[in-house]
């Protein structure tokens, strides 16, 4: 029986992003989904700015932007009459440190189609109609035996459950999913067609009345398609009724100036209840949870799909480095260490945004713009507490606005030193590798050493020249910070003095690992050794000893998970 490196369970945005990231690293990845056809859902309305950065790194952002539309102004009504308009993005613009200043509207099924195509370009197809019904750790502790509904058992070194709020993987592991479901906070949703010309498609229309609400947002790429969300109809005892096309027509006639006949089609109907739940842990031995399988929360702020995409981007490079034999398997502990606190904070943030929105819509003119804050961009999420965030060693400029280890690495417009073509730092960081940025002439020696030791092991070096620096001997891949945006973002100043400089190690997921003066080569060496081995060990597959103690298996997880609870279930449940 063959063995795959990583089996991804669930082919929504979280699973697809993870599979794409692993596949481009050369990991033997498979992705399965229990649906007989590609899953269709209308929940998520699109990626936020941080997710757009991730999609850009995976090479699909341009296609996503072309297939979707910018977020629309919101037109709010009361008693069928328009009372206010709000454009939460009116005053935002791309900044040097953040190329994407707003999220993007795109149907989730369209985004998934783009990601499936990208995955297929890496030679991996989603295996549909495959339901996981059993998980057991292999007798040697170095694999997971996965049983499918059709009776077959297959082997994988690691399994990642990206299979949604009702995750089979989470249930098979016996991991708790504590929290609350508010049976009273209910919304009915669906994709509908409206008669052509019935509503202005340049607006997100929101009717909020004292006895209910209807929201209609045009679906990009369609002529007559709309996302429909509404308070449900209720029976004589006040219990919410299941969504139906006729029910949607009645809600439309009750709250809007449209007639029920204007709604010509309704599909993907669902009922949404506010669930605020989080898994007790995100890992059990060789099995991980990501996305809704690990955490669900209020949709206010649109962070559900986005948090899952960001889970996947945090986990993919760590699995890749461990499977390649570069990093010790203890690197995988940092996934839960970093993402569980982010999920907990997201639960709090979305619950607060929901409260603010429910309060806002009680007043005429209030609407969904109350849910949108700078917190919902995802750009401020970092991991300063992480064991992967090295202590910043140059405390002399600690208030210079530079990112601290663990923070997201800022973007910055610059030019290619060789060609003069416009580029940005995030383009330099893009791809599966770790990047070492060198500011100032003092960093040149460190960059040369890193390139020699790790150039074949997925580590890139990039010298960032100030506009006034001599660069006749510029290294391939070097950039010129012609407007000083990189120096400002990274707090390095513009000093061109001999010996002055700063070195920044950026993880594959765009977070700062090390921020050190250029003469602290040891900090850089030690960090790269943690992620990429000694350099000489580059490319040894999982199971090959590197510079570990003889009895330590390179990919053996700890006996217990981070919280001290037992690892994985030993039997198929």
């Amino acid at each position: 029986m063959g063995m795959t490196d990583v089996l991804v369970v669930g082919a929504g945005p979280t699973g697809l992003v993870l599979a794409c990231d692993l596949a481009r690293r050369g990991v033997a990845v498979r992705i399965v989904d229990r649906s007989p056809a590609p899953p269709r859902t209308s929940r998520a309305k699109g990626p936020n700015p941080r997710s757009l950065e991730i999609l850009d790194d995976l090479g699909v952002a341009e296609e996503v932007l072309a297939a979707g539309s910018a977020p629309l102004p919101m037109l709010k009504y009361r008693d069928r009459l328009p009372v206010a308009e709000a454009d939460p993005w009116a005053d935002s613009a791309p900044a040097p440190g953040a190329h994407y200043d707003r999220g993007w509207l795109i149907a989730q099924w369209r985004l998934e189609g783009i990601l499936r195509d990208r995955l297929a370009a890496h030679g991996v197809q989603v295996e549909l109609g495959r339901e996981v019904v059993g998980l057991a750790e292999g007798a040697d502790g170095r694999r997971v035996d996965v049983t499918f509904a059709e009776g077959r058992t297959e082997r994988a070194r690691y399994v990642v459950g990206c299979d949604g709020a009702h995750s089979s993987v989470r249930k098979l592991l016996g991991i708790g999913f504590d929290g609350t479901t508010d049976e009273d906070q209910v919304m009915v949703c669906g994709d509908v067609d409206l008669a052509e010309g019935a509503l202005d498609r340049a607006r997100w229309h929101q009717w909020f009345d004292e006895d209910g609400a209807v929201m209609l947002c045009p679906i990009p790429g369609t002529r007559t398609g709309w996302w429909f969300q509404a308070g449900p109809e209720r029976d004589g005892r006040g219990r919410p009724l299941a969504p139906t096309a006729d029910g949607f027509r009645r809600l439309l006639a009750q709250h809007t100036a449209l007639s029920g006949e204007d709604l010509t089609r309704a599909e993907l109907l669902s009922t949404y209840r506010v669930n605020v739940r989080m898994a007790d842990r995100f890992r059990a031995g060789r099995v991980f949870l990501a996305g809704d399988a690990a955490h669900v929360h209020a949709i206010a702020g649109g962070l559900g799909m986005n948090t899952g995409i960001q889970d996947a981007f945090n986990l993919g490079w760590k699995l890749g480095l461990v499977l390649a034999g570069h990093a010790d398997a203890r690197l995988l502990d940092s996934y839960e260490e970093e993402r569980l606190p982010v999920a907990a904070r997201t639960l709090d943030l979305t619950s607060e945004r929901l409260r603010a929105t429910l309060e806002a819509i009680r007043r005429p003119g209030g609407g969904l713009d109350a849910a949108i804050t700078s917190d919902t961009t995802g750009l401020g999420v970092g991991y300063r507490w992480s064991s992967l965030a090295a202590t910043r060693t140059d405390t002399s400029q600690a208030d210079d606005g530079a990112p601290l280890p663990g923070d997201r690495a800022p973007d910055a417009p610059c030019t290619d030193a060789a060609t003069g073509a416009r580029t940005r730092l995030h383009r330099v960081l893009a791809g599966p590798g770790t990047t070492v940025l060198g500011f100032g002439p003092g960093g040149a020696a460190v960059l040369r050493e890193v390139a020699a030791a790790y150039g074949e092991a997925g580590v890139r070096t990039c010298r960032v020249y100030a506009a006034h620096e001599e660069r006749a001997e510029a290294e391939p891949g070097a950039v010129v910070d012609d407007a000083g945006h990189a120096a400002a973002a990274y707090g390095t100043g513009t000093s061109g003095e001999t010996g002055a400089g700063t070195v920044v190690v950026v993880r594959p997921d765009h977070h700062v690992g090390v921020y050190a003066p250029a003469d602290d080569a040891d900090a850089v060496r030690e960090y790269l050794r943690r992620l990429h081995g000694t350099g000489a060990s580059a490319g040894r597959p999982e199971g090959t000893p590197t510079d570990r103690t003889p009895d330590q298996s390179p990919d053996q997880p700890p006996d217990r998970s981070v919280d001290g609870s037992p690892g994985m279930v030993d039997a198929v449940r």
Side-chain angles (χ1 to χ4, degrees), residues 13-103:
T14 301
L16 289 167
V17 164
L18 178 60
C20 285
D21 194 23
L22 291 169
R24 68 175 178 166
R25 295 173 189 283
V27 171
V29 60
R30 289 171 54 199
I31 178 168
V32 300
D33 198 283
R34 74 179 115 190
S35 302
R40 281 287 293 261
T41 176
S42 193
R43 283 279 164 79
K45 288 193 174 65
N48 67 11
R50 176 60 189 141
S51 291
L52 283 170
E53 291 183 342
I54 292 169
L55 294 169
D56 194 18
D57 193 297
L58 294 175
V60 297
E62 293 303 319
E63 201 176 341
V64 169
L65 295 176
S69 81
L72 301 173
M74 300 177 181
L75 184 57
K76 280 83 69 86
Y77 302 75
R78 177 67 63 115
D79 299 325
R80 296 192 173 89
L81 297 174
V83 292
E85 186 165 354
D87 183 353
W89 302 274
D91 298 325
S92 73
H99 183 68
Y100 301 104
D101 67 310
R102 61 195 68 196

Side-chain angles (χ1 to χ4, degrees), residues 234-240:
R234 294 181 182 268
D235 66 14
R237 296 170 61 182
R239 293 175 303 198

Side-chain angles (χ1 to χ4, degrees), residues 192-352:
V192 304
D193 275 345
L194 296 182
E196 207 159 347
L199 275 179
D200 175 10
R201 289 184 66 83
R203 301 284 182 278
W204 184 348
H205 302 267
Q206 303 172 9
W207 293 264
F208 292 109
D209 296 325
E210 291 186 20
D211 61 344
V214 169
M215 292 152 275
L216 282 164
C217 182
I219 301 175
T222 67
R223 218 170 37 139
T224 57
W226 297 76
W227 283 299
F228 181 102
Q229 297 166 284
E233 295 186 296
R234 294 181 182 268
D235 66 14
R237 296 170 61 182
R239 293 175 303 198
L241 295 173
T244 63
D246 282 341
F248 282 9
R249 293 188 178 98
R250 288 189 292 269
L251 287 164
L252 207 60
Q254 179 184 345
H255 292 286
T256 81
L258 302 174
S259 78
E261 281 68 50
D262 284 323
L263 192 152
T264 58
R265 178 194 62 98
E267 63 178 20
L268 301 178
L269 308 187
S270 64
T271 298
Y272 169 80
R273 286 178 172 77
V274 175
N275 267 302
V276 181
R277 296 179 181 276
M278 193 167 84
D280 302 341
R281 49 206 167 102
F282 290 5
R283 179 185 186 187
R286 289 179 167 266
V287 185
F288 299 83
L289 300 175
D292 286 357
H295 43 74
V296 292
H297 43 76
I299 57 173
L303 292 175
M305 176 184 78
N306 288 293
T307 306
I309 286 173
Q310 292 152 34
D311 286 345
F313 205 57
N314 182 286
L315 180 58
W317 66 272
K318 297 171 181 177
L319 283 168
L321 287 177
V322 170
L323 285 160
H326 298 321
D328 189 279
R330 284 174 295 194
L331 178 64
L332 299 174
D333 293 340
S334 68
Y335 168 66
E336 178 179 276
E337 177 193 9
E338 293 180 344
R339 293 304 297 174
L340 195 146
V342 169
R345 182 173 180 276
T346 303
L347 263 60
D348 291 342
L349 171 64
T350 51
S351 295
E352 165 56 28

Side-chain angles (χ1 to χ4, degrees), residues 128-142:
L128 294 165
R130 304 213 65 203
E131 183 178 1
V132 173
V133 296
L135 294 169
E137 194 155 290
D140 60 0
R142 298 171 63 82

